[in-house]
Amino acid sequence: MAPYASDDSTTAGEVDEQRSGRRKAARYIVPVTVVGVAAATIGLVPALADSGDPDLPKITAQQLIEKIAKSDVQQLSGTVKISTDLGLPDLGGLESSLMSGAAGQGEGGSSADPTAKLTELASGTHTLRVAADGPDKQKLSLLENAAEYSIVHNGKDVWGYDSKSNEVYHGTASDSPERGKDQQPPATPKDFAEEALKATDDTTSVTVDGTAQVAGRDAYKLVIKPKQSGSTVGAVTVAVDAKTGMPLKFTLTPASGGAAVVDAGFTQVSFAKPAASTFDFTPPKGAKVTEEKDAAKDFGKGSHKGSEKDFGKGFEKGGAREHAPKAGEHPGKGLDGMKTIGEGWSSIATFDTGGEGMPSGKAGGEFGGFIDSLGDKVTGKFGSGTVFSTRLVNALITDDGKVYVGMVTKDALVKAADAGK
């Protein structure tokens, strides 16, 4: 699920200075989480929980939503398994190579930089160890083959450590209003559930569908489904801890059926206070240490302070979701000129790159042929373009440089492009 939309709360000059490098790459990389942002109110279908095992008191969807909102778990430790299957095309190892390359090319070229490392969660199956003791102490470890990557937040210090390369990244946590601009991808069931709930509105059905046991704990199953046709989302199921209200498992299944697109859940969890030593970190002897202030030199004033603190908590107040353009807005070209067509789960984000679309066919040379092999050529009143598809997100890039993207079908994108003419 991937990162993410630009934040239009900065000035044009600051954006150019801080993210000019990213904008070049972002021209054709469409942020997954810009879709479904037109949420205003929560339209719920009140439904009582079915009887099941475990036997829990009946609860309505509204009450369960409120229980999640009031949940205030400060201390925990556990293991999370996360699997992501977007159905990306087989690039003959190119995808994994790109992920590995991104992980080794953070802002300072450090493999320990969290801004790049956690993008690996966007594909495959991973095991995470997580721990927290209040707002100032958190730890997340990504377990790899014979290696481990960890982010440790302890007070004002944020450390990233890649044992494979023996590299360390050191930054400073911040509670400034700038927090939220460059959050990491969601990593825990709670992170994913919060994002899904933000997208609910009167186009959404929300019900309670029985109970379950997750990581040895009794839980209610909250089910979120689009009411509208045309969405690629089949259903979102969230297992909510009956005692604490904390999401323990998140599953997103596509409308097309098959395996889950995202399945993230605790396999073990404890709400006891972790040992204080859990959050201690000292750079190992011989490790290469990159300081945040040094890495930031490559991106002007963009130090990205605090981005690691919340372990991918999505887009908080002040972040990209709050500043996403409302339906009908069209302030200009490019990502800053993004507008939203429609509402809810069938909404489509669109913007004009001001370019000439994707290179394709003979005119694009070898690269054009490669692009054609990844996408499907489509035509309509808008002219012609290429649709790039995953199991969840589809994107249409027209030959005159307009982009339409959403968790909607290919036909819905073509219809939106035709309506824009």
Side-chain angles (χ1 to χ4, degrees):
M1 318 220 22
Y4 298 152
S6 62
D7 189 326
D8 59 5
S9 62
T10 55
T11 66
E14 290 172 329
V15 170
D16 288 340
E17 183 177 11
Q18 297 176 13
R19 300 184 181 177
S20 60
R22 289 183 180 179
R23 284 293 174 80
K24 293 176 182 178
R27 181 177 179 183
Y28 298 120
I29 298 176
V30 184
V32 172
T33 51
V34 301
V35 184
V37 297
T41 59
I42 297 179
L44 299 174
V45 177
L48 298 179
D50 295 334
S51 59
D53 186 16
D55 186 15
L56 296 173
K58 293 184 182 299
I59 190 171
T60 66
Q62 179 67 55
Q63 290 170 334
L64 191 52
I65 291 286
E66 292 172 354
K67 190 176 185 70
I68 295 173
K70 293 177 181 177
S71 179
D72 187 29
V73 174
Q74 295 289 314
Q75 299 172 333
L76 68 84
S77 58
T79 304
V80 175
K81 182 179 179 181
I82 175 172
S83 296
T84 307
D85 180 10
L86 288 171
L88 296 173
D90 183 5
L91 303 181
L94 177 59
E95 178 189 350
S96 59
S97 297
L98 289 174
M99 287 294 183
S100 300
Q105 294 181 19
E107 291 168 15
S110 171
S111 66
D113 184 350
T115 60
K117 187 64 179 180
L118 291 187
T119 60
E120 293 181 14
L121 298 181
S123 65
T125 298
H126 304 276
T127 299
L128 308 174
R129 281 204 300 255
V130 297
D133 184 8
D136 294 325
K137 291 184 178 181
Q138 297 105 29
K139 182 176 181 178
L140 181 151
S141 296
L142 172 59
L143 308 184
E144 302 171 312
N145 293 331
E148 181 175 320
Y149 174 78
S150 295
I151 303 174
V152 181
H153 169 219
N154 193 340
K156 292 183 178 181
D157 292 312
V158 177
W159 299 93
Y161 176 60
D162 185 357
S163 67
K164 186 175 182 180
S165 63
N166 198 28
E167 292 192 23
V168 174
Y169 184 90
H170 179 228
T172 304
S174 171
D175 291 320
S176 74
E178 297 298 298
R179 260 186 61 192
K181 288 184 180 179
D182 291 293
Q183 299 290 3
Q184 300 301 332
T188 68
K190 181 175 184 290
D191 300 334
F192 286 107
E194 286 177 344
E195 289 302 302
L197 289 172
K198 288 176 184 178
T200 59
D201 59 11
D202 58 6
T203 68
T204 310
S205 164
V206 184
T207 60
V208 179
D209 185 24
T211 62
Q213 270 217 340
V214 178
R217 298 192 59 92
D218 294 347
Y220 293 102
K221 292 193 296 182
L222 186 72
V223 179
I224 303 169
K225 291 183 177 180
K227 292 180 182 179
Q228 303 163 307
S229 62
S231 175
T232 56
V233 176
V236 170
T237 303
V238 182
V240 183
D241 186 62
K243 185 174 181 180
T244 67
M246 190 182 87
L248 298 174
K249 186 175 175 64
F250 173 96
T251 305
L252 188 158
T253 54
S256 59
V261 174
V262 178
D263 188 39
F266 280 95
T267 58
Q268 181 275 327
V269 66
S270 169
F271 296 107
K273 180 183 176 70
S277 59
T278 302
F279 311 102
D280 292 340
F281 182 81
T282 301
K285 184 177 181 180
K288 175 186 175 182
V289 180
T290 300
E291 292 290 339
E292 180 183 50
K293 63 180 182 295
D294 296 328
K297 291 177 181 178
D298 293 335
F299 280 84
K301 298 179 180 179
S303 62
H304 304 283
K305 289 186 177 182
S307 63
E308 303 90 345
K309 182 176 180 180
D310 290 340
F311 300 144
K313 207 171 184 180
F315 294 95
E316 299 180 352
K317 185 175 182 181
R321 183 174 293 276
E322 179 172 295
H323 293 291
K326 304 297 186 297
E329 284 187 353
H330 188 30
K333 292 181 180 288
L335 292 178
D336 286 337
M338 185 165 52
K339 64 178 181 178
T340 302
I341 301 171
E343 60 180 349
W345 301 88
S346 296
S347 63
I348 297 172
T350 179
F351 59 93
D352 187 348
T353 66
E356 299 178 354
M358 296 292 291
S360 63
K362 295 181 179 179
E366 292 183 5
F367 185 65
F370 175 69
I371 291 297
D372 286 345
S373 70
L374 299 180
D376 297 322
K377 295 296 291 184
V378 293
T379 59
K381 295 178 182 178
F382 66 88
S384 60
T386 305
V387 173
F388 299 91
S389 301
T390 71
R391 298 177 66 219
L392 185 63
V393 177
N394 290 323
L396 165 61
I397 303 177
T398 66
D399 289 346
D400 59 357
K402 294 182 176 61
V403 177
Y404 298 84
V405 59
M407 290 189 289
V408 297
T409 63
K410 178 172 68 175
D411 290 342
L413 293 177
V414 172
K415 184 177 180 180
D418 281 344
K421 298 307 290 182

